[in-house]
Amino acid sequence: MAVTPDLADLQATIARMEARFDTDPRAASLMGSYRDLCARFETDLADPRDIAISRAAALMMIKYQLEEN
C-alpha cells in the first residue's frame, strides 16, 4: 500500500531542498529558473497539493542535474 505524504510533509521537504540548493553555487542559475517555474505553477495550478508536487518535481530535476555534473 502506497503512502501519500500530506501537504505539510511536502512543504517541509520543499523548504529543505530549497535551502540546500539556494546555498549551492552550482545551482544558482537552476534556482533562478525554478523560481520562475514556481510563479508559473501558482498561476496555472489551483490545488495547493498540485503546486507542491510540481515544485518538488522541479527540485528533483535540479538534484539530478547537480548529481550528473
Side-chain angles (χ1 to χ4, degrees):
M1 188 154 129
V3 175
T4 303
D6 65 18
L7 182 56
D9 290 336
L10 287 170
Q11 291 170 328
T13 298
I14 290 165
R16 280 192 308 275
M17 292 178 79
E18 286 175 343
R20 181 173 20 155
F21 296 141
D22 280 337
T23 61
D24 188 333
R26 300 171 305 147
S29 67
L30 294 170
M31 286 304 286
S33 296
Y34 166 76
R35 300 286 180 213
D36 292 342
L37 276 174
C38 286
R40 186 73 182 263
F41 297 150
E42 293 286 335
T43 301
D44 292 351
L45 303 171
D47 186 317
R49 185 172 173 78
D50 290 343
I51 293 169
I53 290 169
S54 297
R55 289 176 67 173
L59 288 163
M60 288 303 296
M61 287 294 297
I62 293 171
K63 181 179 184 294
Y64 172 81
Q65 192 66 29
L66 293 178
E67 288 175 352
E68 290 297 305
N69 293 319

